[in-house]
Amino acid sequence: MCIRDRNRRLTKNIGIVVPYLADPFFAEIARKIERRCIDAGFWPILFSAHGERTLENDILDSLRSLKPAGVLLAPLGRTSDRGKIERFCKEVPTVLFDSNMEGVGEAFIGSNNFQSVPLIVEYLCRTGEPPCFFEMPPVNPNANKRRKAYVQAMERLGEEPNVIRVKGGGWNFEEVGYTEGARVIEERLLPADTVLCSNDRLAIGLLSACYEKGLRVGRGSGCALRVAGHDDHPFSRFTCPPLTTVAQDYDAISDRSVETLFELMAVGSPPEERSETLFDGKLVMRGSA
């Protein structure tokens, strides 16, 4: 009996690994995945890598010793130990979600950044000045994909892309948005009065910096800036003003991730081809833009 079959038959454990559980996006996805696993009679075990490669590796070692029936993994991506993850995926049925590592695992489930980013770029261009792009630290593949999608969308519309590269890194996006937002405002580095942030957490920090600097954000008269984000973070509707954004389909991503893993576990052997499923985003118009 192969390692994969032995794992599948011995336990009802399902491992769930996220890069940063303090991020409400991952907390919400993990909550939905846990519920689906419990309802199906499995016992989910949740791990957070806290943005650290060493801890992500340790989690994989711990999971291997638990002999899980399967694992749902949102890897760090850029800083992950690719070889370690590849070896793990050969031993345990594994579905990647949110952060895609090309060719790793048996399936990937995530958002279609090349649909969602152009969607909000086109809206912002249609309703006001074309946006500059306030870029999150490139901690995972989504950061680079969103920047590339922004540039392509602007060029397709005949507009000049303007990317603001932030200083600093890590997963503390609100702090980066606040400190870097304050810096670019003070140094008058904003090339437009419309700012598209590459995620909502960054936008939340920028909104705080704008308030502190006395800049009114919104669409009405007397507003100095429009600010938009990406993800439909659970707190984005409660910012001041409420944040215009693109909603990721939390339900579809979590449901399809679990369904795909259960299908792999039922078969018991790796598929001939790795599958990728991307879900489109939905424009959510609120007061900030």
Side-chain angles (χ1 to χ4, degrees), residues 9-34:
R9 294 171 189 273
L10 284 178
T11 80
K12 298 288 280 185
N13 295 330
I14 297 288
I16 306 169
V17 186
V18 298
Y20 196 74
L21 191 55
D23 188 319
F25 168 78
F26 291 112
E28 182 66 7
I29 290 287
R31 182 185 70 82
K32 291 179 180 294
I33 288 174
E34 281 185 318

Side-chain angles (χ1 to χ4, degrees), residues 2-15 42-43 45 47 59-71 88 91-93 265:
C2 71
I3 293 176
R4 293 171 61 95
D5 286 337
R6 191 162 61 244
N7 287 340
R8 184 167 57 89
R9 294 171 189 273
L10 284 178
T11 80
K12 298 288 280 185
N13 295 330
I14 297 288
F42 290 90
W43 184 248
I45 305 172
F47 298 87
I59 289 168
L60 297 180
D61 288 338
S62 296
L63 277 169
R64 189 179 283 107
S65 67
L66 292 172
K67 297 181 173 61
V71 169
F88 179 86
E91 299 177 16
V92 181
M265 289 159 45

Side-chain angles (χ1 to χ4, degrees), residues 53-210:
R53 171 176 173 155
T54 300
L55 185 53
E56 183 175 73
N57 287 344
D58 290 344
I59 289 168
L60 297 180
D61 288 338
S62 296
L63 277 169
R64 189 179 283 107
S65 67
L66 292 172
K67 297 181 173 61
V71 169
L72 291 152
L73 169 65
L76 296 173
R78 183 176 181 180
T79 58
S80 291
D81 184 334
R82 182 183 177 92
K84 181 104 176 178
I85 293 178
E86 286 178 336
R87 290 190 294 274
F88 179 86
C89 292
K90 291 178 180 178
E91 299 177 16
V92 181
T94 303
V95 171
L96 271 60
F97 68 96
D98 181 66
S99 179
N100 194 10
M101 297 178 68
E102 302 291 340
V104 176
E106 290 143 326
F108 170 73
I109 316 296
S111 294
N112 185 358
N113 289 300
F114 289 94
Q115 175 271 340
S116 58
V117 173
L119 181 67
I120 196 163
V121 168
E122 290 164 5
Y123 164 75
L124 294 172
C125 288
R126 187 171 66 249
T127 55
E129 186 175 3
C132 59
F133 188 70
F134 198 52
E135 184 180 28
M136 68 177 174
V139 294
N140 69 17
N142 287 322
N144 295 329
K145 288 179 180 178
R146 290 179 188 177
R147 181 186 67 245
K148 186 175 181 179
Y150 160 78
V151 171
Q152 290 180 355
M154 290 287 282
E155 291 176 343
R156 187 166 58 249
L157 294 170
E159 304 290 351
E160 180 68 27
N162 284 292
V163 176
I164 300 172
R165 300 182 186 276
V166 300
K167 297 179 181 178
W171 290 83
N172 54 334
F173 297 135
E174 293 89 354
E175 181 180 344
V176 172
Y178 170 73
T179 57
E180 285 297 282
R183 180 181 67 84
V184 299
I185 290 170
E186 288 174 358
E187 298 177 9
R188 301 182 182 276
L189 297 177
L190 287 176
D193 65 11
T194 302
V195 183
L196 173 59
C197 299
S198 57
N199 69 31
D200 286 355
R201 292 180 59 201
L202 198 68
I204 288 170
L206 177 59
L207 288 176
S208 181
C210 289

Side-chain angles (χ1 to χ4, degrees), residues 248-268:
Q248 294 198 56
D249 195 334
Y250 290 73
D251 288 333
I253 292 171
S254 56
D255 287 349
R256 188 59 190 147
S257 295
V258 174
E259 291 165 2
T260 302
L261 181 62
F262 287 173
E263 291 167 3
L264 291 171
M265 289 159 45
V267 172

